[in-house]
Amino acid sequence: MAGKKTLLLSFLMLLIPLANASAEVSPAANELFNIFGLPVTNSMVTGWVVSILLIIAIKLMVGRASLVPSKGQALVEALVTFVRDTTLPIVGKKAFRMSLPVILGLFFYILIQNWSGLLPGVGSLGTGHMVDGHFHITDPWIRPANADWNGTIALALVTMIAWLFIVLKSDGPVVLIKDLFGNKADKKEVGNFMWMALWPIFLIVGVIEVVSILIRPLTLSVRLFGNIYGGESLLHQTGFIFPFYFLELIVGFVQPLVFILLFSVYVGLICNHGDGEEHH
């Protein structure tokens, strides 16, 4: 048993110096192979593997749910409770039941994918050549999924599709159109003339809002990709020293939190009308 532990530690220590093998990280993912002409990149494989491991890990931690939770179940419940309590006031009670699975899925997926880039060997194992006495990796075998812009764009598009489904299912298309283009003024307070005069302004505001909705996938994907790719480049430039490594641990947690908060705000802007208040 001791021999196996020694062998494992030796292998991990062998991987860590390889982090310095390439101080320059390419923003493009490396194609490993293709299936029916469709490229499969290293970041895609990493995303699949990490997702499968995440499902297995949660299943093993929770096991069969019980009233007296195990340590693994207690940890998962604590994280779920934290996410629920953080997003419920933003989303609103009406749409929260539909939103919670999406929010939890996004949070855990992005969190684990971000932290997967901090594992020894990720981004530092692959093929390359010698440059000035240092091995320069040109084709890494393993790459964090969120360090690939294609991956974050796909994630953002899925998020916005889920947003549209939840909004339409919860409030319907009429409420969505009214929230975007409707006259928000109270006719009794402003009078008929002013109420009619405000219609062109609210229509213009609605068009601007539609444009902002259309660019949300871009802003969501760029923010996540920029932070994770920038962190990956920083770690390779600095040789994975502890202060920056610890900083990336924090960034890896903050980014999924920001992502789900933005998603919650998007849903809440349409569906959260306050306790007991409904659109008619």
Side-chain angles (χ1 to χ4, degrees):
M1 188 67 179
K4 291 182 178 180
K5 290 183 178 180
T6 303
L7 181 61
L8 177 60
L9 290 174
S10 300
F11 178 70
L12 293 178
M13 292 304 296
L14 180 62
L15 294 182
I16 293 174
L18 287 174
N20 280 323
S22 176
E24 184 176 338
V25 181
S26 171
N30 179 43
E31 180 180 342
L32 299 178
F33 55 91
N34 62 77
I35 301 177
F36 303 114
L38 299 176
V40 177
T41 65
N42 50 2
S43 61
M44 292 171 63
V45 174
T46 304
W48 296 338
V49 172
V50 170
S51 298
I52 293 172
L53 293 177
L54 174 62
I55 295 172
I56 295 174
I58 292 179
K59 182 64 177 176
L60 292 175
M61 290 173 65
V62 175
R64 184 181 295 274
S66 61
L67 293 177
V68 180
S70 62
K71 293 181 179 179
Q73 181 181 337
L75 176 60
V76 173
E77 288 181 356
L79 288 173
V80 171
T81 302
F82 166 74
V83 173
R84 181 198 64 191
D85 294 344
T86 303
T87 57
L88 175 57
I90 304 173
V91 174
K93 294 180 179 179
K94 185 178 181 182
F96 187 70
R97 181 180 291 273
M98 288 185 291
S99 302
L100 183 59
V102 180
I103 292 172
L104 290 173
L106 289 172
F107 178 78
F108 284 109
Y109 176 83
I110 297 174
L111 176 66
I112 301 303
Q113 295 292 353
N114 289 353
W115 282 352
S116 71
L118 303 178
L119 296 175
V122 176
S124 60
L125 287 177
T127 59
H129 53 270
M130 298 297 295
V131 177
D132 298 329
H134 297 280
F135 186 67
H136 181 81
I137 295 177
T138 56
D139 298 317
W141 298 329
I142 312 172
R143 185 78 184 277
N146 291 336
D148 179 8
W149 194 12
N150 294 303
T152 58
I153 288 176
L155 188 64
L157 288 175
V158 170
T159 300
M160 292 311 300
I161 292 172
W163 166 82
L164 183 61
F165 175 82
I166 291 171
V167 168
L168 294 179
K169 187 73 173 177
S170 176
D171 283 36
V174 175
V175 171
L176 176 60
I177 294 173
K178 285 183 178 180
D179 271 335
L180 292 176
F181 301 102
N183 194 329
K184 287 31 172 222
D186 190 337
K187 185 186 293 188
K188 295 180 181 180
E189 292 184 0
V190 301
N192 291 336
F193 176 78
M194 182 60 68
W195 187 79
M196 292 298 297
L198 287 173
W199 265 109
I201 297 176
F202 282 113
L203 289 175
I204 294 173
V205 171
V207 172
I208 296 173
E209 183 66 20
V210 169
V211 173
S212 71
I213 291 174
L214 293 176
I215 66 174
R216 282 175 185 173
L218 178 63
T219 57
L220 285 172
S221 61
V222 169
R223 182 184 298 106
L224 181 58
F225 164 74
N227 280 277
I228 302 307
Y229 171 70
E232 184 187 24
S233 301
L234 176 65
L235 289 177
H236 282 75
Q237 291 283 351
T238 57
F240 281 68
I241 62 176
F242 179 76
F244 293 109
Y245 194 90
F246 180 73
L247 176 63
E248 288 308 308
L249 280 173
I250 299 176
V251 171
F253 177 80
V254 171
Q255 283 306 306
L257 188 60
V258 171
F259 202 99
I260 63 170
L261 286 176
L262 287 173
F263 174 77
S264 301
V265 169
Y266 297 156
V267 175
L269 286 173
I270 306 298
C271 301
N272 190 0
H273 315 297
D275 293 339
E277 183 181 347
E278 297 286 345
H279 270 295
H280 300 284

